[in-house]
Amino acid sequence: MAQDPSDLARFVASHGGDRSLKVEESLGGGYVRLRVAEAERRQAKHDIRWVEDAVIEMLRNARDAGARHIYLASSREGSVRTITMLDDAAGIPREMHERVFDARVTSKLDSVHLDRWGVHGRGMALYSIRENALSARVVDSAPQKGSSIQAVFDVDSLQERSDQSTWPTLVEDEGGSLGFRGPRNIIRCCCEFSQEDRGCELYLGSPAEIVATARSNVRLSVEGSALLFIDSLDDLPVLERLKLAADAGELLQVSSSLGLDMSERTAHRILAGQVTPVRSVASHFRKSRRASRAGRKVDLARDRRGLRISPEDLGEFSRTMERDFAPLAQRYYLSLASEPRVRVSHGRVTVTFEVDEGD
């Protein structure tokens, strides 16, 4: 008779303790080799230390799947933060809706993406999110129809920045480099992502605002008489379903099926045009940049020649600074929230060490 693997795991745990399921080999002297699953779980806990980290991973995932438009709905009730992301990316086959949250599962067999947040494409992003969330699921997705993915977090367990309403300020240093100042909240994460990936148009708002924005912006892939031959809105890409909902009841049903919960009254308000669509995240800092430039006087006598350092040398210098920071971190029980940031401006090289606020 075949042995149930879960029964076997419980038997091992009861006799050898949970340690037996974590350790692959005891090397002596207090050293052990962890099982792959345990090492992955610990790495996942390190990769996602703030809700904002999870948001960035969700956005990077959509970008790497080919999304050109991303709609991010964020809401909080009590200590529960809900993030629902809709996109027009390649989509996920139904049989993979659960498997994509397993470790090392990726569609990027021959490629990885290196950006300001590190390497992406290891198949660990969604796994890390689920390990740190109350729940994480593919709400709806199919090939060529985009996706709706939702993650729910307990902010008492996985913290988020306290100020979630303030938009960051776009600033330009003496060397002409652009960056953001302000709380490192979800809004700033979205701004930095939009600045990094100009090919994605990102919208951020409440569930109601996201529904109103999608209805206003989404272009239909099926028009005219072809719509008569569609049996169900479920046959359409996820974003187009919101646009084609005919009445408040249908809009409520479609929104709920995509993870965007609202009241029927709110659905009526959206159809009546009483919920204003949000602007894209990028349009916020483009406008602020134009305003700052318009009010700036041009100094014709200023020497605009600046120091230029290659990205490779900047990366190597950052790693050197991280190693040199280690003795201070050990002495004062500090840990870095990210790798040291090196900024080069006119006559100045600035290194910023961002210390984890939990320390």
Side-chain angles (χ1 to χ4, degrees):
M1 183 176 178
Q3 180 76 39
D4 185 345
S6 61
D7 291 340
L8 181 60
R10 282 193 291 269
F11 174 80
V12 172
S14 64
H15 286 75
D18 190 46
R19 183 177 184 277
S20 301
L21 301 177
K22 296 179 180 179
V23 176
E24 178 181 299
E25 181 184 1
S26 178
L27 304 176
Y31 289 88
V32 297
R33 177 180 286 112
L34 293 173
R35 293 185 182 276
V36 173
E38 176 62 17
E40 290 168 343
R41 188 189 67 81
R42 295 187 182 190
Q43 183 62 44
K45 293 293 184 182
H46 175 78
D47 289 345
I48 306 291
R49 291 191 282 180
W50 297 86
V51 170
E52 289 80 2
D53 296 334
V55 170
I56 281 293
E57 292 303 320
M58 293 175 72
L59 293 173
R60 295 168 82 198
N61 231 47
R63 173 203 63 196
D64 290 355
R68 288 293 172 263
H69 302 87
I70 303 175
Y71 293 79
L72 194 74
S74 175
S75 62
R76 177 171 169 175
E77 291 187 15
S79 63
V80 176
R81 168 71 65 182
T82 301
I83 303 292
T84 307
M85 183 184 71
L86 288 77
D87 62 49
D88 57 2
I92 305 169
R94 184 167 299 278
E95 62 272 16
M96 292 298 297
H97 283 192
E98 277 298 313
R99 298 297 300 274
V100 293
F101 291 98
D102 293 345
R104 307 189 310 279
V105 173
T106 179
S107 61
K108 296 172 281 294
L109 175 61
D110 299 316
S111 65
V112 293
H113 194 115
L114 180 62
D115 56 21
R116 65 185 295 171
W117 299 282
V119 173
H120 201 249
R122 301 172 297 153
M124 296 297 290
L126 292 178
Y127 170 77
S128 298
I129 290 171
R130 176 170 276 187
E131 280 292 307
N132 290 277
L134 291 175
S135 66
R137 64 190 179 111
V138 177
V139 183
D140 201 325
S141 185
Q144 309 309 316
K145 293 183 179 179
S147 301
S148 173
I149 297 177
Q150 185 178 82
V152 181
F153 302 95
D154 177 2
V155 298
D156 290 334
S157 176
L158 183 70
Q159 291 183 319
E160 67 177 17
R161 310 296 176 177
S162 57
D163 182 357
Q164 290 293 338
S165 60
T166 301
W167 282 79
T169 303
L170 185 68
V171 295
E172 185 174 344
D173 61 24
E174 294 178 354
S177 299
L178 294 173
F180 291 98
R181 287 181 184 169
R184 295 187 173 276
N185 53 20
I186 293 173
I187 301 173
R188 178 166 171 178
C189 287
C190 291
C191 288
E192 290 176 342
F193 176 83
S194 293
Q195 184 188 32
E196 175 85 8
D197 291 279
R198 305 294 175 87
C200 288
E201 200 73 23
L202 172 61
Y203 299 88
L204 171 66
S206 67
E209 289 173 330
I210 289 302
V211 172
T213 304
R215 286 180 61 86
S216 173
N217 294 352
V218 170
R219 294 183 178 180
L220 297 177
S221 59
V222 179
E223 295 183 358
S225 59
L227 292 172
L228 300 175
F229 298 96
I230 294 178
D231 297 327
S232 169
L233 291 181
D234 292 341
D235 297 332
L236 295 169
V238 294
L239 289 170
E240 295 182 28
R241 299 174 201 173
L242 295 169
K243 191 178 186 75
L244 287 174
D247 54 39
E250 190 171 42
L251 181 60
L252 187 66
Q253 186 274 325
V254 170
S255 299
S256 179
S257 70
L258 297 177
L260 301 170
D261 294 327
M262 65 182 71
S263 66
E264 187 172 356
R265 178 175 178 273
T266 300
H268 278 287
R269 292 181 61 236
I270 292 173
L271 292 176
Q274 296 175 359
V275 177
T276 305
V278 296
R279 292 187 293 147
S280 70
V281 171
S283 69
H284 282 271
F285 61 78
R286 286 176 193 150
K287 182 178 180 180
S288 64
R289 185 183 182 189
R290 286 195 298 268
S292 65
R293 283 185 169 180
R296 186 191 309 161
K297 293 182 179 180
V298 178
D299 184 1
L300 298 177
R302 175 182 167 188
D303 184 357
R304 297 185 180 275
R305 293 173 296 178
L307 177 63
R308 295 289 184 268
I309 301 178
S310 70
E312 294 78 11
D313 289 339
L314 285 175
E316 183 178 352
F317 183 60
S318 175
R319 290 188 290 273
T320 301
M321 292 294 98
E322 187 171 9
R323 288 194 297 269
D324 291 342
F325 184 81
L328 186 68
Q330 185 176 11
R331 183 173 300 173
Y332 292 96
Y333 306 100
L334 303 174
S335 62
L336 292 176
S338 61
E339 68 278 2
R341 295 196 307 277
V342 183
R343 176 171 293 179
V344 180
S345 58
H346 183 71
R348 181 183 305 166
V349 177
T350 305
V351 183
T352 302
F353 298 90
E354 184 181 350
V355 178
D356 193 328
E357 294 183 5
D359 294 320

